[in-house]
Amino acid sequence: EVQLVQSGTEVKKPGESLKISCKGSGYRFTSYWIGWVRQMPGKGLEWMGIIYPGDSDTRYSPSFQGQVTVSADKSISTAYLQWSSLKASDTAMYYCARPVGDGTLDGFEIWGQGAMVIVSP
Amino acid sequence: SYELTQPLSVSVALGQTARITCGGNNNGIKNVHWYQQKPGQAPVLLIYRDSNRPSGIPERFSGSNSGNTATLTISRAQGGDEADYYCQVWDSSTAVFGGGTKLTVL
């Protein structure tokens, strides 16, 4: 079964760093892009960035460039989203997602279960 | 930056057909993907590249695209179709989501 399994809920304080993970299984991890999507409470979906684990090619939304870092460790089939200094406004659900086709930027067919990040003093 | 415009809400009577639109800019809109999201759940891909259904998605869900507007059509609407629906495209290697449409089944 093809799936993405994300790390769990995180509760952090403003200014702290954080790295959340997304582990792929059931498919060739290096052949598919993996993207990250933010959903703030009660709001819509926002695309943050995407990485191709095969060669670490990474793209960012202009809204998130410089705010987060997307990375991947292909040896353990895991993608990451990290912050160096969290803000209260980073409180949201974060999803990782994989497109339909290998090597293509396509519709996101496979989604992780989501990771809730809560940033509070 | 590229923007996609969706109606905030759409209502449909049980068993009838719902249509949710997604508008692009003046250069047209292509390869539109559609997602359904129910409360507390991750999004589900309903349609990719305008009109293709992933395996497991009922035929009641269909997509079309004409010029500047893509449309998600839900036939024979059921109570379980109540959800938020999002369109999405790729623009210069960046993904763009529409603001989402809340579907109410009456």
Side-chain angles (χ1 to χ4, degrees):
Chain A
E1 179 192 7
V2 176
Q3 59 179 352
L4 297 173
V5 178
Q6 298 185 234
S7 47
T9 297
E10 299 277 358
V11 180
K12 307 291 278 186
K13 291 182 169 29
E16 292 185 331
S17 63
L18 175 64
K19 192 174 189 177
I20 62 175
S21 66
C22 170
K23 183 173 177 60
S25 62
Y27 71 98
R28 178 171 289 195
F29 184 75
T30 52
S31 296
Y32 290 79
W33 292 85
I34 288 190
W36 289 93
V37 176
R38 182 176 80 173
Q39 188 167 39
M40 299 176 77
K43 301 299 184 183
L45 304 175
E46 300 174 272
W47 180 75
M48 303 176 72
I50 198 164
I51 188 167
Y52 188 74
D55 61 7
S56 295
D57 186 5
T58 308
R59 319 282 173 86
Y60 291 94
S61 162
S63 299
F64 292 95
Q65 178 85 47
Q67 308 304 308
V68 297
T69 301
V70 173
S71 61
D73 185 341
K74 58 187 179 184
S75 69
I76 54 172
S77 300
T78 301
Y80 301 96
L81 177 67
Q82 69 180 87
W83 297 258
S84 59
S85 181
L86 287 161
K87 303 184 282 286
S89 58
D90 293 317
T91 295
M93 180 71 80
Y94 293 88
Y95 294 101
C96 62
R98 193 209 80 174
V100 172
D102 57 338
T104 63
L105 296 175
D106 212 330
F108 291 111
E109 181 182 28
I110 308 298
W111 290 73
Q113 80 277 22
M116 187 68 202
V117 174
I118 300 168
V119 184
S120 179
Chain B
S1 61
Y2 199 91
E3 292 186 2
L4 297 174
T5 302
Q6 297 182 236
L8 280 176
S9 63
V10 168
S11 298
V12 61
L14 188 68
Q16 297 305 302
T17 298
R19 293 178 180 85
I20 299 172
T21 58
C22 176
N25 64 14
N26 291 333
N27 292 329
I29 184 173
K30 55 183 179 178
N31 291 328
V32 180
H33 316 293
W34 290 95
Y35 304 86
Q36 175 193 68
Q37 187 181 32
K38 296 181 179 179
Q41 297 183 19
V44 172
L45 180 66
L46 294 176
I47 299 290
Y48 63 100
R49 284 181 245 137
D50 295 336
S51 59
N52 298 276
R53 266 188 315 276
S55 62
I57 301 300
E59 292 182 7
R60 298 189 301 107
F61 295 92
S62 62
S64 61
N65 189 345
S66 60
N68 212 31
T69 302
T71 302
L72 173 69
T73 300
I74 306 171
S75 304
R76 302 182 299 282
Q78 303 173 357
D81 297 333
E82 279 206 344
D84 293 324
Y85 292 84
Y86 297 89
C87 58
Q88 178 247 316
V89 298
W90 286 94
D91 175 57
S92 301
S93 299
T94 60
V96 179
F97 284 98
T101 298
K102 183 175 183 60
L103 178 70
T104 300
V105 180
L106 304 172

